[in-house]
Amino acid sequence: MRAGVAFALAAYALYWVVGIVAPQTYRPSFLLLALVLTFLAYPAGSARASHADEGGPGAPPPEAAWRPIHWRALDWGLIALSIVTLAWPIVQGDQFIYRAATPTSVDLALGCALIVVVLEATRRTVGSTLPITAILFLAYAYGGALLDRVGLSLIAHRGYSIERIVGNLYMTLEGILGVPLDVASTYIVLFTIYGAVLERSGAGRFFVEWAMAAIGRSRAGAGPGRTVTLAGYLLGAVSGSGVANTVMLGSVSWPMMRRAGYPPDMAGAILASAGIGAILAPPVMGAAAFLIAEFLNISYFGVVKMAAIPAALYYCSIVVTVEADSRRLALRRSDVPTRSLAAVTRGGWFYFLSIAAILVFMARGSTAFSAVFWATVIAAGASFLSRDHALWPRRLVAALSAGGIGIVPVVATTAAAGIIVGVVTLTGLGLKAASLIVTLAGDHQFLTILYSAAAVWVLGLAVPVTASYIIAAVMVAPALTEVGISPSAAHMFIFYYAVLSEVSPPTALSPFAAAAITGGRPFRTTMLTWKYTIPAFVVPFVFTVSPRGAAVLMQGSAVTVVWVSIVAAAGLALIAAGAGGYVWRRPATTIERAAAIAAGLAVLWLI
C-alpha cells in the first residue's frame, strides 16, 4: 500500500506539470497524499532513522506487523484526520478562503487537528526539534502581550485569538499551505523524482567511475580523494541530498580510499564534505534553493546561475585541501584498476544527457517544472542504452515510488515551517528580529553580516536546512538588506550558512553517516569535515562585504565575473593549503600554515 501511495504522489506531481490544477486544490490534495504516505512509511512504534533534512531521507522503516493494535490504530486515525482536514478545504471551495477571518466551529476544529497532524508527521520524519520550535512560535502568537510584562517589549505584540491564528494558518495560502509547501509540491518533488529515476538507471556508479578515470590517477595518493570530490559534485548535481550523496559515495569509494592509506576519520571527512556540497551544486541543489526563487521572485535558472561559481569554489577548495593532506601524510598511490576516460565515457555518456537537458531547457526560457519533467523523460528513455539498468515498467514504477517516498520528509518540514512563517507574518516578528540584529551591530555592515552568519548557523544546529533557510529568510535577510546588501546576495548568504550548519553537531548527519561507513570516530570525523569546509564559510562574505564580490554570483560584466572568481579561487586555495598543512612543496610549519590562511583571507578581503 505504501508503494502505491508513493507512486500516486509522484504521478500526481508529474500530472500537475501538464495538467491544470488550481493552487487552492493542488496544495491541500498534495499534502493529503504526502501525510497519508508519511504515516504509512513512518509508522508509530517502529524504529525510525533520524533525518536532519531533505538531504538524506534514506529508506523509511519497514512496516512493523508486530506493532501493538493501539499503535496501528493511531496510524490509521492520523491518516483519517489527514484526509478529513485536507478534503474539507477542497470541498468548500472559495467560500473556505473567504471566511478565513471568521472561521466556523468546524473550520476551527479541523484547523487545530491539521496543525497537530503536521507536527506529528514532522516529528516522525525529522525529529522533535522543529515541531517544538513551531509550538513555541504558536505560543508566541497567542501570548505575545505577556512578553511586555517580562521586559521583552521589543518583540511583544497584542496577542491573537485561536480563531485568528488557525484561520491564518489553515484557511489561507500564507500558513501551512503557503510558499514553503508550494515549493515542495512543485519544484522539489519533481527534482526528487528526477534524481530517483536517474539513480535507478545506474548513474551513481557511472559518475564515480568517470571521476576516477578523469582525475583519479596520482603519484601522491590524492587520486581517491580527488575522485570522491568530483564524484560528489556530479552526484550532487542530480540528487540535491547531502546525506544520501555521502552514503552513495562511501559505499562505492571507501574501499578505494582504504587501499590508498586514507585514515578512516580523514576519509569520512572527505566523503562528508563532498556529500554536503550536493545541496550547493547546480542544477538540482537542495530544497532551500528552490525557495530562493520564490522569495526573490526570479526564475530558478537565475538561482542556478548565482550558485554556479560558489559551488565550484567550494569543491575546488576541497580538492586543494585533499591534495595538501595527501602529500603531507605521504599517502600511497591507489592501485585500483580503471579504464581510460574515453572508455568510461563511451559506456555511459547518455547519463549526462538529462543534466544537459535541464540547463538547455531553462536557458531557453522553459520553466524549471517543464525542464525537469522532460529531463526525467529523457533519463528514463536513455536508461535503455544500458543493458543492465533499463527502466522497464516495473523498475520505472519503483523509481517513481522511491521519488514519492523521498519527498515525504521535505513536505513535513515545509508544512511545519509554514506554521512558523505564518506566525512571523502575522505578528511582524521578522522586522523586529531584523531591527534587533542591526541595532546590536550598531548599523555596521560587517558586524551585521557576522551576527547574521552566527544567527543562521545557530538556527541550523536545531532545525533542518530547509526550515533554517525559511526562518532566516523572513527574520535575518531583512537585516542584511537594511544595511545595503542586495536581496540576492542576502538570500544566498543565509542559504550558504543554513547548508554549512550541516557540518556541526547535533545535525551533522553527513559526517556521522560517513564515520559509520569508514569505521571512524564520529566526533573526530566531524571536526575534520570542518577543516575541509572552512574555506566555504568564507565564500558568503566574498559576495556580501564588497560590492565587487557579488561578481561570484554572476552579477556584473563578464570581465569582472572572471577576474573576481580567479582572485577568490586563489584566496581560497591559500586557505585550503594552510588548512591541509602543505605549502611550497613540503609539509608546512604551524607559522607557515597560519601565514597561508592569513594571506588567503587578505586576498579575499581586497576583492
Side-chain angles (χ1 to χ4, degrees):
M1 184 175 182
R2 183 180 68 192
V5 176
F7 174 78
L9 182 65
Y12 186 37
L14 292 173
Y15 168 77
W16 174 84
V17 179
V18 296
I20 300 176
V21 186
Q24 291 83 355
T25 300
Y26 182 65
R27 294 186 199 178
S29 56
F30 182 90
L31 180 58
L32 187 158
L33 283 172
L35 289 177
V36 170
L37 180 57
T38 299
F39 298 119
L40 291 174
Y42 297 83
S46 61
R48 178 182 59 80
S50 297
H51 306 301
D53 194 41
E54 72 286 347
E63 295 287 356
W66 51 266
R67 289 180 298 127
I69 293 175
H70 68 276
W71 281 350
R72 294 199 295 271
L74 175 61
D75 293 332
W76 286 108
L78 290 169
I79 288 172
L81 274 180
S82 302
I83 294 171
V84 173
T85 56
L86 290 165
W88 181 248
I90 300 172
V91 172
Q92 290 289 296
D94 292 340
Q95 292 300 318
F96 181 75
I97 297 175
Y98 294 156
R99 61 174 185 264
T102 56
T104 66
S105 56
V106 175
D107 297 332
L108 188 61
L110 294 180
C112 291
L114 179 60
I115 291 173
V116 172
V117 169
V118 166
L119 294 179
E120 172 60 12
T122 308
R123 185 194 67 80
R124 292 193 187 190
T125 54
V126 299
S128 301
T129 304
L130 182 55
I132 292 173
T133 304
I135 291 171
L136 292 176
F137 272 83
L138 289 171
Y140 169 74
Y142 181 74
L146 299 176
L147 297 176
D148 202 15
R149 302 177 185 176
V150 294
L152 296 175
S153 57
L154 186 62
I155 59 172
H157 60 87
R158 62 185 178 87
Y160 293 90
S161 65
I162 297 294
E163 290 79 7
R164 182 68 185 278
I165 295 171
V166 172
N168 185 68
L169 298 181
Y170 176 49
M171 304 178 70
T172 72
L173 297 182
E174 297 179 359
I176 294 174
L177 301 177
V179 170
L181 180 66
D182 178 41
V183 173
S185 62
T186 54
Y187 288 104
I188 301 172
V189 67
L190 294 173
F191 278 91
T192 302
I193 293 168
Y194 165 65
V197 169
L198 197 61
E199 180 184 345
R200 292 299 179 99
S201 68
R205 183 169 292 276
F206 166 76
F207 285 143
V208 174
E209 292 179 355
W210 192 87
M212 184 65 190
I215 61 172
R217 296 179 177 84
S218 172
R219 296 179 180 178
R226 292 201 306 245
T227 297
V228 166
T229 305
L230 178 57
Y233 184 87
L234 293 173
L235 290 173
V238 297
S239 75
S241 169
V243 176
N245 202 16
T246 299
V247 172
M248 187 182 301
L249 281 172
S251 62
V252 176
S253 304
W254 166 233
M256 171 181 63
M257 300 178 79
R258 182 174 54 216
R259 284 194 291 270
Y262 281 77
D265 297 336
M266 176 183 171
I270 296 173
L271 289 169
S273 56
I276 290 169
I279 312 175
L280 303 168
V284 176
M285 305 175 67
F290 301 99
L291 290 156
I292 296 176
E294 290 297 312
F295 278 114
L296 294 178
N297 195 26
I298 61 176
S299 69
Y300 180 66
F301 186 62
V303 178
V304 168
K305 288 195 298 183
M306 287 195 296
I309 294 175
L313 291 174
Y314 174 82
Y315 277 103
C316 285
S317 67
I318 295 176
V319 168
V320 175
T321 310
V322 166
E323 193 74 31
D325 265 343
S326 301
R327 293 178 182 275
R328 177 174 55 84
L329 297 175
L331 298 180
R332 56 183 175 272
R333 179 179 177 178
S334 176
D335 294 324
V336 177
T338 180
R339 295 179 293 164
S340 67
L341 179 61
V344 174
T345 303
R346 280 196 302 271
W349 59 270
F350 49 86
Y351 289 116
F352 291 110
L353 287 178
S354 61
I355 301 176
I358 291 178
L359 296 174
V360 170
F361 277 123
M362 288 196 294
R364 297 185 63 179
S366 297
T367 64
F369 317 123
S370 177
V372 71
F373 175 85
W374 290 111
T376 303
V377 173
I378 290 171
S383 70
F384 287 92
L385 295 174
S386 171
R387 181 179 304 176
D388 297 329
H389 298 97
L391 293 178
W392 294 104
R394 177 175 294 182
R395 296 188 65 180
L396 181 60
V397 168
L400 294 178
S401 297
I405 291 177
I407 194 63
V408 162
V410 184
V411 175
T413 297
T414 52
I419 295 174
I420 297 172
V421 172
V423 170
V424 170
T425 304
L426 182 65
T427 61
L429 179 61
L431 295 177
K432 295 173 184 176
S435 176
L436 179 61
I437 292 175
V438 174
T439 300
L440 290 174
D443 289 326
H444 191 284
Q445 188 185 71
F446 181 74
L447 287 180
T448 301
I449 295 170
L450 197 62
Y451 291 166
S452 297
V456 179
W457 178 65
V458 171
L459 181 63
L461 299 181
V463 298
V465 170
T466 303
S468 177
Y469 169 78
I470 292 170
I471 298 170
V474 295
M475 297 179 66
V476 178
L480 294 172
T481 56
E482 191 173 327
V483 294
I485 296 169
S486 69
S488 57
H491 280 267
M492 286 299 293
F493 181 91
I494 62 177
F495 168 63
Y496 239 76
Y497 268 86
V499 170
L500 291 175
S501 66
E502 282 281 289
V503 182
S504 308
T507 57
L509 292 190
S510 290
F512 289 176
I517 293 172
T518 64
R521 293 162 291 179
F523 184 77
R524 174 65 175 165
T525 300
T526 301
M527 292 300 99
L528 286 176
T529 305
W530 265 72
K531 182 182 77 171
Y532 285 103
T533 56
I534 274 179
F537 279 90
V538 181
V539 170
F541 285 86
V542 172
F543 55 74
T544 50
V545 171
S546 167
R548 276 207 311 172
V552 299
L553 301 179
M554 290 196 183
Q555 296 177 355
S557 66
V559 173
T560 304
V561 169
V562 172
W563 172 247
V564 171
S565 299
I566 291 173
V567 173
L572 290 173
L574 285 169
I575 295 173
Y582 192 93
V583 293
W584 300 299
R585 297 188 177 185
R586 62 180 176 80
T589 64
T590 302
I591 295 178
E592 289 171 337
R593 295 176 72 165
I597 293 174
L601 291 173
V603 168
L604 295 175
W605 182 263
L606 295 175
I607 287 179

